[in-house]
Amino acid sequence: MNKSKRPFTKSKRSFRRRLPPIQSGDRIDYRNMSLISRFISEQGKILSRRVNRVTLRQQRLITIAIKQARILSLLPFLNNQKQFER
């Protein structure tokens, strides 16, 4: 038998490891708008932890920071501006 033709071999695809969205030096704070805005959808919703690829503790800190920024009106609660195309 020829070993080179195996019917159930996985293809060796190379994949690039995604960089973590929060670096070790980044401070999760309501004033850090450039960091916070990465975790909000276009509608203004907080993205899930699975989508963000962050740890549970980081997600909790992000959620608290977003809510504080909304209360201080640094971020909108909703972003429901409908864009009309003509």
Side-chain angles (χ1 to χ4, degrees):
M1 286 197 171
N2 193 357
K3 284 190 175 183
S4 63
K5 291 187 178 181
R6 293 183 188 168
F8 300 109
T9 58
K10 290 184 180 179
S11 65
K12 293 187 178 182
R13 281 185 279 156
S14 64
F15 63 94
R16 195 174 66 120
R17 191 168 180 183
R18 275 184 66 156
L19 295 171
I22 298 176
Q23 303 298 330
S24 60
D26 287 341
R27 185 165 172 82
I28 302 172
D29 199 8
Y30 69 93
R31 292 171 286 185
N32 194 351
M33 297 305 295
S34 60
L35 179 72
I36 288 177
S37 58
R38 283 191 250 161
F39 303 107
I40 298 177
S41 69
E42 290 182 12
Q43 291 84 25
K45 293 181 180 180
I46 301 172
L47 294 173
S48 70
R49 186 179 151 222
R50 184 172 44 90
V51 175
N52 289 338
R53 296 252 171 111
V54 292
T55 63
L56 181 62
R57 185 169 183 212
Q58 287 173 337
Q59 180 70 19
R60 284 185 184 144
L61 291 171
I62 289 166
T63 304
I64 291 167
I66 290 171
K67 289 178 180 181
Q68 286 175 339
R70 284 176 175 168
I71 289 169
L72 293 170
S73 66
L74 299 173
L75 279 175
F77 280 92
L78 291 174
N79 189 12
N80 52 4
Q81 295 175 345
K82 297 189 178 179
Q83 296 180 0
F84 297 104
E85 295 180 13
R86 289 189 179 193

